[in-house]
Amino acid sequence: MKTTKLLILTCVLVLNTVYAQENSAIDDTAKAYEMPRTQVIQINNSETDALNTLYIKLPKGYEKNTDLKYPVLYFTNPLENIERLSALSGHLIKDVIIVGLTWSKGINYGNLDSYVKFLRNDVFKMVESKYRADAERRTYFGYSAAALVGTYILSKHHNAFENYILGAPVLGVDHEVIQQIYELESTTAEKRKKMKANVFFAYGTLEKKKDIQGFKNFINMLENINDENLTVEHVVIEGEDHRTAEPMAAIRSMYWLAGLLKKQGI
């Protein structure tokens, strides 16, 4: 039954993509990105003054349900991910705001703390003041390099989000950010117990062996914290590599998030 549902959702995603491509081919006129109930907003990084773009998709019934506060799903690479996550969240969660963020100029692995400041001081404040967004139910979605950013935020600024969806983060890069992530192991038990988060972690079985070992090391580190405030869902996708595991990781993670939000009363 679950396999059938996954196949149906996969078909929906393919049809949505084909439909978008056909519409684009019919209309050759260059125009701004459009999607029902979606707003494209420019926002300044208050520290660097760099201009960033947010793609905000509101759920059906948002205008009518004025007494409802909505959880928010944040993700990067919006033009690549918004149609997929919109379709999945629309079918599985329904009452959720999704927010796609372009990368802030000048942000790299060496200054991710600055990126977190941008999220806290600018993005969250704007979204939660302009829309009925629940500050206690933020979710981060990232795959590959974006998942590495999420992994860093989880390790260093874990209360920025309540839920983390991390697909095959590039933990094999030779960069000090990896060392900073694993500093979590050396923190005191008291500090680690303050790490309240729900984590979904996925990767394919055909990833490189060294990358799979890196994934396992990170998962083991989280599981060894052994605290009820931190939950970890670990999914291995059979027969898929780094590139091909991404769509299934998105589908499986949205099932996980839907169940999680349902427990929280969504």
Side-chain angles (χ1 to χ4, degrees), residues 76-77 81 140-148 165-170 202-204 207 241-247 249-250:
T76 58
N77 305 319
N81 288 316
Y140 179 94
F141 175 97
Y143 193 87
S144 194
L148 178 60
I165 296 171
L166 308 172
V170 286
Y203 59 89
E207 290 270 3
D241 59 22
H242 189 78
R243 180 181 61 84
T244 61
E246 183 176 2

Side-chain angles (χ1 to χ4, degrees), residues 12-204:
V12 168
L13 291 175
V14 171
L15 288 173
N16 281 352
T17 302
V18 171
Y19 177 77
Q21 290 172 344
E22 287 178 348
N23 278 351
S24 177
I26 291 170
D27 185 0
D28 294 331
T29 305
K31 59 183 180 181
Y33 183 85
E34 292 182 4
M35 177 182 275
R37 304 186 310 282
T38 302
Q39 301 171 16
V40 181
I41 295 175
Q42 301 294 314
I43 183 172
N44 276 78
N45 184 321
S46 56
E47 271 200 344
T48 66
D49 206 34
L51 194 63
N52 298 267
T53 306
L54 302 184
Y55 294 76
I56 302 174
K57 173 78 180 289
L58 300 175
K60 287 183 179 178
Y62 178 86
E63 299 297 335
K64 294 180 180 179
N65 300 326
T66 55
D67 59 339
L68 187 61
K69 292 196 89 172
Y70 293 83
V72 185
L73 173 63
Y74 291 91
F75 57 96
T76 58
N77 305 319
L79 294 182
E80 295 176 18
N81 288 316
I82 191 168
E83 290 185 357
R84 176 190 299 154
L85 294 178
S86 175
L88 288 170
S89 62
H91 281 83
L92 297 174
I93 305 173
K94 295 183 175 61
D95 289 334
V96 62
I97 297 170
I98 66 172
V99 179
L101 308 98
T102 56
W103 283 111
S104 188
K105 288 184 179 180
I107 297 298
N108 53 52
Y109 290 153
N111 59 359
L112 290 180
D113 290 329
S114 178
Y115 183 64
V116 176
K117 284 183 181 178
F118 166 61
L119 292 177
R120 289 186 187 277
N121 297 339
D122 302 312
V123 177
F124 294 162
K125 283 184 179 180
M126 191 281 287
V127 171
E128 289 159 13
S129 62
K130 186 177 177 65
Y131 305 96
R132 296 192 306 281
D134 191 341
E136 301 299 319
R137 292 180 294 169
R138 303 180 191 132
T139 298
Y140 179 94
F141 175 97
Y143 193 87
S144 194
L148 178 60
V149 174
T151 302
Y152 179 85
I153 297 173
L154 170 64
S155 300
K156 292 292 187 179
H157 306 275
H158 52 85
N159 61 353
F161 297 90
E162 183 170 2
N163 311 310
Y164 291 81
I165 296 171
L166 308 172
V170 286
L171 293 168
V173 297
D174 183 17
H175 197 284
E176 64 179 356
V177 70
I178 304 299
Q179 298 173 11
Q180 293 171 351
I181 287 170
Y182 282 100
E183 285 174 359
L184 181 62
E185 287 183 305
S186 60
T187 58
T188 64
E190 185 178 348
K191 284 185 177 180
R192 290 201 300 270
K193 284 193 174 185
K194 294 178 181 178
M195 190 174 177
K196 182 180 179 183
N198 304 299
V199 181
F200 177 94
F201 197 106
Y203 59 89

